[in-house]
Amino acid sequence: MFYIYILQSLADNSYYVGCTENTSRRISEHNSEKVRSTKTRQPWSLRYTEKYNTLSEARSRENQIKRWKSRAAIERLLNK
């Protein structure tokens, strides 16, 4: 299984959208400065996940969410 996930920074309330096979491991990497794009805004909290059978499905959904480029659109998804 593959997952898309949305993290929220507890430092500045920004969001990060990603894709992984193991959400626990990936969140740990985000919170231990192993991910360049998120290390300056930690700690991160998991806010949302969706499960997919294939990596290509998960990547497609990840890219769709990233194309929204709108905090309001992400927050509508989180509040469903």
Side-chain angles (χ1 to χ4, degrees), residues 1-65:
M1 288 294 175
F2 296 89
Y3 302 86
I4 62 103
Y5 61 93
I6 300 176
L7 302 178
Q8 184 171 18
S9 168
L10 300 178
D12 67 2
N13 289 321
S14 61
Y15 293 110
Y16 178 86
V17 179
C19 178
T20 188
E21 274 189 281
N22 183 329
T23 54
S24 298
R25 175 189 51 78
R26 192 63 177 145
I27 293 166
S28 176
E29 290 172 352
H30 283 289
N31 283 320
S32 61
E33 298 185 7
K34 292 183 179 178
V35 181
R36 178 189 284 177
S37 62
T38 61
K39 70 181 182 178
T40 61
R41 294 176 286 156
Q42 30 179 315
W44 292 92
S45 172
L46 180 64
R47 291 291 312 275
Y48 183 82
T49 62
E50 291 179 3
K51 186 180 354 180
Y52 293 92
N53 291 321
T54 66
L55 178 59
S56 63
E57 291 173 321
R59 294 274 173 161
S60 177
R61 178 65 167 154
E62 174 191 9
N63 289 329
Q64 176 187 38
I65 293 170

